[in-house]
Amino acid sequence: MANIAAKRIKREFKEVMKSEEVAGGAIKLELLDNSWTELQGEIAGPPDTPYEGGTFLLEIKVPETYPFNPPKIRFMTKIWHPNVSSVTGAICLDILKDQWAAALTLRTVLLSIQALLSAAEPNDPQDAVVAKQYKENPTLFALTARHWTHAYAGGPAAIRDFDAKVQRLLDMGVDEHQARVALSTYDWELERATEQLFNREE
Amino acid sequence: MSAESDMEYSDNDGDDYDYYGEHDDCDMETVDRSKSDPEYFIYSCLKVEEVEKLLNESIELLSNSLQVTPSLAKVMLHAYEWNAQEIINKYKENANEVLVYSRVKPRVASLSQASTSRAVCAVCANTPPIHKYSALACGHYFCNDCWAMHFEVQITQGVSNTIQCMAQDCEVRAPEDFVISHVPKSTLRERYQQFMFKDHVKSHPQLRFCPGPNCQWIFRAWVREGARRVECRGCELITCFSCGAPHHAPTDCSTIRRWLTKCADDSETANYISAHTKDCPKCQICIEKNGGCNHMQCGACRFDFCWVCLGDWKAHGSEYYECSRYKEDPNLANDSQHAQAREALKKYLHYYERWENHARSLKLEEQTLASLKSRINQKVMAGEGTWIDWQYLWDAARLLKRCRYTLQYTYPFAYYMEVGPRKELFEYQQAQLEAEIENLSWKVERAETTHRGDLENQMDIAEKRRTTLLKDFLELNTNVASSSSKV
């Protein structure tokens, strides 16, 4: 079985390399080992989204039963999105689960993940906190997502107010990522975020 | 039936015997149960082979009348919940729609070029000769090795009826003959067929596996709503056909689910409060309950009391058996939230304690039943009559079990009932049932010293109380709810 997996991945790797998306810089694929089981994907944040300008790295693990079972993919780059866990990077996408078909390829999967960044599915959330904000406060969600893109994915747009609040917590000795998570979770209300951070440590 | 037939069995003498003998309706209860038993429910308990035969009849019927293969008939029956007649009718109107709905055919003709070609297999990227490709009705060709691998992975994951084509966004399902012809390993084919069978039973509205551990029997019935009592011929487990939970009349399926979840959540508190031992209310000696009867007699001071409320048993002998009734505090509305929360917990614990208590009594009475059987056997071996002579003891213990079981399941029902005259009526009947069950339990535990006629009389009373309650409150959705408010 393993040789089918390796053969397929080799072919798909070539397919991605030749594709117009790679030429256009929208997706990238890199091999991490010689056994064709671990790869690193890269997708560009789609234009007109809070992820624009950011570059997101994906961990791709190819199971032995590939392509009869889907590849295991998660975000390595931290991202604020309803269908991606802000903690583990796990992705909630049907084609990576029950809607997987053996005829799908890494290229189509990467493009689907990129499409997910343009059109979130808040009713099928991976991260309940993010999904709630997406539905109840879309403006704040977009700003938060943009801030995360700037902080973790090299996005261009800094949001000064948010940076200032993160800095306040850093001055109190809080870890930067923890500070960002707490503030994002509590709609950037410094007081509530602080309270949550310090209560948890007790 | 007179309510005065209490525990004073010593008063009965031989004269009553013949009179009571006529009321031996335990043997007759099989006669026209549909009228006398409110829980009466037509069902059968089938073996795997019988169910296979049943399913095959539907498959053959469909396959013959539509001129399709049995494998395709199975795919359609699975999609239409085994309603062969519906499929036949719809097929005559619009065959294509039936095939699309069953996912035998694709909704739109296949467009994807990559998969329809037979030059390179889109899955493995190999280039086998053209005759080593196959496709489902959708025309997505893949090489046979890939199909085999695909089926192996799916079957290993427990998928059977719903294995789909390997093409992207294609929902066409692989019929049995297609799968079987592509799977070379016989053990895998066997597993596939076992999963298919399980899946067929689960998708069939008239069938349900007995939920007993490792039990192979399958129930068949025609109604799947309301509390429906089914008893397994194999493991003797009594469950509800509609929901598969332990049988729960008079409580309905959704209520018992809520109650059991609640009990699971709150059990820590409740366990703490309902301990296994209690102190005698008179002499304070610690008493462990070792029988099912709630009429307790203190071994030290001979005080008769009720295990549930610790009150004097004499007060319970009267018509109104008070201790099953939970009294809501009328001043509740004025109280603070805290007090209301406490009141809610108190209310829950009241019902939970009684629920738990009867469950425990049932377990203990299970032991009584076992020891009774061996005692009867001993008597028969010693030549003191035949099994038929002692059968009534056995019947009494079984009837007691049935009555207490229903009584146990009246408590979740009462807990979720709204306060009002209907609840009052229910709790009145529940109290009556409880009183008679305790009388019966007391007599069964002392079966050999209790007069047969007296015992049979008590059996009759208890069973009548039980059926009366069920007749009035077991709402089987076939009639309009509250059909019993006329009482």
Side-chain angles (χ1 to χ4, degrees):
Chain A
M1 214 178 263
N3 60 349
I4 296 188
K7 190 166 181 191
R8 262 280 300 253
I9 293 296
K10 276 182 208 165
R11 193 181 56 138
E12 289 183 36
F13 192 72
K14 280 187 210 147
E15 182 198 33
V16 172
M17 287 315 178
K18 284 191 301 197
S19 70
E20 50 194 74
E21 290 88 17
V22 166
I27 59 171
K28 255 191 216 171
L29 194 60
E30 226 177 282
L31 200 62
L32 293 186
D33 67 351
N34 292 325
S35 62
W36 301 89
T37 56
E38 279 181 44
L39 297 98
Q40 183 169 286
E42 199 182 297
I43 54 175
D48 303 320
T49 69
Y51 311 103
E52 183 172 7
T55 305
F56 298 89
L57 296 183
L58 297 157
E59 176 189 87
I60 303 172
K61 287 191 172 166
V62 181
E64 215 185 297
T65 51
Y66 185 82
F68 305 100
N69 275 329
K72 291 184 168 61
I73 304 187
R74 69 176 188 95
F75 272 89
M76 310 268 284
T77 308
K78 299 217 178 300
I79 181 167
W80 191 253
H81 185 282
N83 305 105
V84 182
S85 164
S86 59
V87 182
T88 63
I91 307 167
C92 183
L93 182 64
D94 57 357
I95 59 158
L96 291 178
K97 290 170 185 160
D98 53 322
Q99 290 304 308
W100 170 255
L104 283 165
T105 64
L106 290 180
R107 179 180 154 261
T108 48
V109 169
L110 289 179
L111 292 175
S112 299
I113 294 172
Q114 198 175 36
L116 189 68
L117 297 189
S118 309
E121 281 283 350
N123 293 323
D124 188 16
Q126 176 77 40
D127 194 309
V129 174
V130 185
K132 189 165 177 265
Q133 191 183 61
Y134 181 93
K135 279 205 232 176
E136 290 175 3
N137 199 341
T139 318
L140 194 65
F141 162 79
L143 285 172
T144 309
R146 202 174 292 277
H147 170 77
W148 279 56
T149 305
H150 173 69
Y152 297 114
I159 292 159
R160 263 195 216 114
D161 178 36
F162 290 178
D163 287 340
K165 283 178 177 165
V166 172
Q167 191 56 48
R168 287 276 297 279
L169 287 175
L170 284 180
D171 294 343
M172 291 184 217
V174 179
D175 166 78
E176 184 184 331
H177 179 61
Q178 269 188 2
R180 188 166 286 119
V181 170
L183 285 163
S184 304
T185 303
Y186 289 100
D187 293 346
W188 297 93
E189 288 174 28
L190 192 58
E191 218 169 279
R192 276 170 65 207
T194 317
E195 197 178 296
Q196 188 260 345
L197 282 167
F198 287 95
N199 277 342
R200 197 168 54 179
E201 276 169 26
E202 268 166 24
Chain B
M1 205 35 75
S2 126
E4 285 131 43
S5 64
D6 47 16
M7 315 87 64
E8 293 165 36
Y9 46 82
S10 54
D11 285 354
N12 290 327
D13 50 43
D15 291 344
D16 295 339
Y17 184 84
D18 292 329
Y19 170 75
Y20 286 114
E22 288 175 15
H23 284 252
D24 191 4
D25 61 0
C26 238
D27 293 335
M28 289 153 56
E29 69 177 358
T30 45
V31 180
D32 196 13
R33 283 186 59 190
S34 61
K35 278 192 188 130
S36 64
D37 180 3
E39 289 179 295
Y40 182 68
F41 179 53
I42 302 172
Y43 70 95
S44 44
C45 193
L46 306 172
K47 287 186 191 139
V48 169
E49 305 85 70
E50 293 171 297
V51 172
E52 276 172 343
K53 205 175 144 225
L54 190 89
L55 296 176
N56 282 336
E57 280 166 16
S58 299
I59 294 162
E60 259 171 54
L61 169 72
L62 194 67
S63 135
N64 288 337
S65 47
L66 302 188
Q67 296 298 310
V68 295
T69 62
S71 290
L72 280 187
K74 280 188 196 180
V75 179
M76 289 194 241
L77 284 163
H78 187 261
Y80 283 89
E81 297 186 332
W82 293 83
N83 192 338
Q85 204 50 54
E86 186 193 345
I87 302 176
I88 294 169
N89 295 343
K90 285 196 172 162
Y91 196 86
K92 277 180 196 151
E93 275 173 37
N94 188 342
N96 192 52
E97 202 179 284
V98 171
L99 293 172
V100 168
Y101 180 83
S102 313
R103 301 192 182 180
V104 172
K105 275 178 73 181
R107 189 160 292 283
V108 283
S110 165
L111 298 168
S112 161
Q113 279 193 338
S115 309
T116 46
S117 89
R118 271 170 273 180
V120 175
C121 171
V123 170
C124 63
N126 283 334
T127 51
I130 200 153
H131 66 274
K132 288 204 170 168
Y133 284 89
S134 33
L136 293 166
C138 50
H140 294 125
Y141 281 92
F142 299 100
C143 80
N144 291 339
D145 290 346
C146 282
W147 280 118
M149 213 72 92
H150 177 53
F151 294 143
E152 181 171 341
V153 168
Q154 295 290 312
I155 296 166
T156 315
Q157 289 166 359
V159 187
S160 58
N161 275 295
T162 52
I163 301 181
Q164 291 183 357
C165 170
M166 289 190 282
Q168 184 179 351
D169 294 327
C170 181
E171 293 188 323
V172 170
R173 287 182 178 169
E176 188 183 21
D177 51 0
F178 189 86
V179 176
I180 291 294
S181 68
H182 281 91
V183 174
K185 292 180 196 160
S186 66
T187 48
L188 206 61
R189 285 200 299 264
E190 273 164 38
R191 272 179 80 190
Y192 170 70
Q193 266 151 343
Q194 281 165 10
F195 287 140
M196 283 279 264
F197 178 72
K198 277 192 183 150
D199 212 22
H200 284 156
V201 172
K202 280 182 192 156
S203 67
H204 200 304
Q206 290 171 5
L207 300 175
R208 180 189 287 283
F209 277 107
C210 170
N214 299 320
C215 186
Q216 293 291 313
W217 290 80
I218 297 153
F219 298 114
R220 184 187 191 199
W222 288 263
V223 183
R224 207 171 185 139
E225 52 180 14
R228 302 290 182 178
R229 181 186 198 277
V230 287
E231 183 172 358
C232 178
R233 273 165 68 190
C235 68
E236 295 182 357
L237 201 69
I238 297 173
T239 50
C240 168
F241 182 73
S242 304
C243 68
H247 178 56
H248 48 73
T251 310
D252 65 39
C253 298
S254 60
T255 308
I256 198 66
R257 208 171 309 129
R258 262 167 80 196
W259 171 258
L260 292 175
T261 320
K262 185 173 174 59
C263 290
D265 293 348
D266 297 344
S267 60
E268 283 307 308
T269 339
N271 280 347
Y272 170 71
I273 293 172
S274 65
H276 288 261
T277 63
K278 287 182 185 177
D279 293 345
C280 167
K282 203 170 177 194
C283 67
Q284 267 73 48
I285 197 166
C286 186
I287 295 172
E288 185 195 13
K289 196 163 181 293
N290 63 355
C293 182
N294 285 323
H295 176 180
M296 304 296 286
Q297 193 178 48
C298 173
C301 70
R302 317 301 289 175
F303 177 61
D304 288 281
F305 67 97
C306 166
W307 178 258
V308 178
C309 69
L310 296 176
D312 191 338
W313 187 260
K314 278 184 208 128
H316 289 72
S318 64
E319 196 185 14
Y320 210 128
Y321 184 73
E322 276 270 355
C323 96
S324 64
R325 177 177 255 232
Y326 179 78
K327 294 188 194 68
E328 289 209 38
D329 190 342
N331 298 324
L332 194 65
N334 306 329
D335 278 339
S336 68
Q337 244 190 351
H338 179 68
Q340 277 190 31
R342 253 179 48 196
E343 190 62 26
L345 180 66
K346 238 171 81 189
K347 176 182 165 187
Y348 166 65
L349 286 176
H350 169 90
Y351 290 101
Y352 181 78
E353 264 179 26
R354 280 152 184 80
W355 157 268
E356 254 304 292
N357 183 54
H358 287 300
R360 235 176 277 132
S361 289
L362 261 176
K363 280 212 187 90
L364 293 166
E365 275 160 4
E366 201 79 50
Q367 294 166 14
T368 312
L369 203 63
S371 72
L372 201 65
K373 194 173 184 177
S374 69
R375 287 217 308 278
I376 294 175
N377 276 332
Q378 276 170 19
K379 282 181 201 287
V380 174
M381 295 300 272
E384 296 175 47
T386 64
W387 241 100
I388 294 169
D389 295 322
W390 296 106
Q391 175 98 33
Y392 77 98
L393 281 182
W394 179 249
D395 289 340
R398 285 218 342 248
L399 184 121
L400 172 64
K401 186 177 158 187
R402 189 161 70 219
C403 286
R404 197 183 287 285
Y405 191 91
T406 303
L407 180 62
Q408 187 195 346
Y409 280 86
T410 60
Y411 282 100
F413 187 86
Y415 177 75
Y416 290 107
M417 254 183 132
E418 273 175 42
V419 181
R422 194 164 154 74
K423 183 168 187 177
E424 266 174 44
L425 175 69
F426 180 79
E427 295 203 319
Y428 174 77
Q429 292 199 15
Q430 184 188 39
Q432 299 261 299
L433 174 64
E434 188 152 22
E436 298 307 342
I437 287 174
E438 296 314 340
N439 280 341
L440 181 62
S441 181
W442 175 267
K443 284 174 188 176
V444 167
E445 277 174 22
R446 290 154 188 78
E448 276 114 318
T449 54
T450 306
H451 202 279
R452 173 172 175 174
D454 188 34
L455 185 64
E456 283 173 346
N457 183 27
Q458 189 58 44
M459 282 163 69
D460 188 45
I461 295 172
E463 177 61 9
K464 284 216 166 91
R465 293 268 187 244
R466 188 182 84 91
T467 49
T468 309
L469 184 139
L470 285 176
K471 258 182 207 151
D472 287 351
F473 292 95
L474 177 56
E475 282 166 1
L476 298 172
N477 299 344
T478 40
N479 319 346
V480 183
S482 83
S483 60
S484 49
S485 53
K486 58 186 182 285
V487 178

